Amino acid sequence: MSWISRVRNALAYVTTKGGASPDTLWHKCKGCGQMVFIKELEDNLYVCPHCEHHERIGPSLRFQYLFDEGSHTVLTSPRVVDDPLKFRDQKPYPARLKAARAATGEPDAFLNASGTILGHKAVVGVQDFAFMGGSMGQAVGEAFIAGVEAAIAARVPYIVFTASGGARMQEGILSLMQMPRTTVAIEMLHDAGLPYIVVLTDPTSGGVMAAYAMLGDVQIAEPRATLAFTGRRVIENTIREKLPDDFQTSEYYREHGLVDMVTHRKELRETLGQLIGLLCEAKKAA
């Protein structure tokens, strides 16, 4: 065993408070538990080089990995009322929003950008799990609709990367209303004859899974992503049966026809670029 392997194995038992930060040199993989150099992880698109576990990433990295270099522009997100229900649990909802905005540097859990992918124009929306679990509130609904409108105005496909724990409880019924609103927006895309492509990432669940996450013309998923409407334990307790080990994973969904393909992060840009080209040509021919 080489010295670097011994060091890695020793560090596998060491955890740092709060996990990896920009100042640390190592990251502990959530898939295999091995320690990985942060630089090595960055160079590998935040995919573990040992077990291929896909780490969660936010909009800025998604846009960087996906768009042609220097081609994309982040679109301004619509403003919404921060606390429509004056909700308070352990602390006020505005305080939670302020903390999430400070931690991520984003206005809310969904951002859009326009640019080119392998020379093909597209609008891309990305949901960020780091922002309050990617929860869907009014801001997410408005941003999604704004992305659809931008795609229609530019006559280009709309691609969405989902990552969410579901509806945002602090906005109650107003959060749930985003499910039909986003569904109507997707119908607007269809009426305009434009493709809607969904990339499911880890995790996608709850109200988002029951709405725009599963309505794509093409459904793609990253490997081993957890995809679910409700929790595994809830289902097992309801049906009183043991579920398969790979239940609610990308691979299980592909085997049962719920997603079209499972695509490695390194291949996403090429896959989406080719897909946009094929779909746009098909629309023109029709």
Side-chain angles (χ1 to χ4, degrees):
M1 182 184 293
S2 67
W3 69 269
I4 189 66
S5 296
R6 289 197 296 271
V7 170
R8 278 179 171 163
N9 290 341
L11 286 171
Y13 296 98
V14 179
T15 57
T16 57
K17 185 177 180 181
S21 74
D23 298 323
T24 61
L25 295 175
W26 299 87
H27 171 82
K28 186 174 182 179
C29 175
K30 295 178 178 65
C32 63
Q34 290 203 54
M35 303 301 289
V36 185
F37 277 117
I38 289 291
K39 183 65 170 63
E40 185 179 6
L41 195 63
E42 290 172 349
D43 292 343
N44 209 40
L45 308 188
Y46 283 87
V47 176
C48 176
H50 305 293
C51 70
E52 299 293 309
H53 174 75
H54 285 50
E55 297 286 346
R56 297 167 185 170
I57 59 175
S60 60
L61 284 176
R62 287 283 180 196
F63 296 150
Q64 177 186 325
Y65 295 156
L66 188 62
F67 286 115
D68 299 336
E69 186 175 357
S71 75
H72 79 275
T73 303
V74 177
L75 305 181
T76 303
S77 298
R79 292 296 301 273
V80 300
V81 177
D82 275 352
D83 189 13
L85 303 181
K86 308 300 179 187
F87 190 94
R88 183 186 182 97
D89 48 276
Q90 293 179 336
K91 58 183 177 181
Y93 180 33
R96 294 189 182 278
L97 287 173
K98 183 178 180 180
R101 287 167 180 162
T104 63
E106 299 159 9
D108 212 279
F110 197 100
L111 281 182
N112 290 299
S114 63
T116 61
I117 304 171
L118 300 186
H120 301 290
K121 293 181 180 179
V123 174
V124 177
V126 177
Q127 208 157 2
D128 188 2
F129 193 79
F131 195 107
M132 296 185 68
S135 51
M136 175 182 62
Q138 289 186 100
V140 168
E142 289 294 339
F144 183 95
I145 294 168
V148 169
E149 291 173 342
I152 292 173
R155 301 295 303 168
V156 299
Y158 189 39
I159 302 170
V160 169
F161 286 75
T162 63
S164 177
R168 187 169 298 175
M169 58 171 283
Q170 290 88 350
E171 296 186 23
I173 189 65
L174 299 176
S175 173
L176 296 178
M177 283 300 297
Q178 306 316 307
M179 296 171 67
R181 294 184 75 234
T182 54
T183 302
V184 171
I186 294 167
E187 284 302 311
M188 292 167 53
L189 269 177
H190 291 161
D191 291 344
L194 297 170
Y196 172 56
I197 302 169
V198 177
V199 182
L200 301 158
T201 74
D202 181 70
T204 299
S205 61
V208 169
M209 190 69 174
Y212 55 85
M214 294 302 292
L215 294 177
D217 298 319
V218 180
Q219 298 284 143
I220 303 173
E222 286 194 330
R224 305 178 198 169
T226 297
L227 311 173
F229 173 68
T230 192
R232 179 190 185 96
R233 185 171 58 185
V234 173
I235 298 173
E236 288 184 334
N237 289 341
T238 301
I239 66 174
R240 301 186 186 283
E241 289 184 17
K242 176 69 175 174
L243 295 169
D245 291 338
D246 64 345
F247 184 67
Q248 296 182 326
T249 64
S250 303
E251 291 73 17
Y252 184 91
Y253 274 53
R254 179 185 57 192
E255 290 173 9
H256 291 78
L258 294 174
V259 301
D260 297 298
M261 62 184 88
V262 176
T263 305
H264 195 285
R265 188 172 292 164
K266 291 181 179 179
E267 300 170 356
L268 263 178
R269 183 170 176 270
E270 186 76 23
T271 298
L272 287 170
Q274 291 179 356
L275 195 55
I276 292 169
L278 289 171
L279 289 175
C280 288
E281 286 299 320
K283 294 287 185 182
K284 288 178 183 177

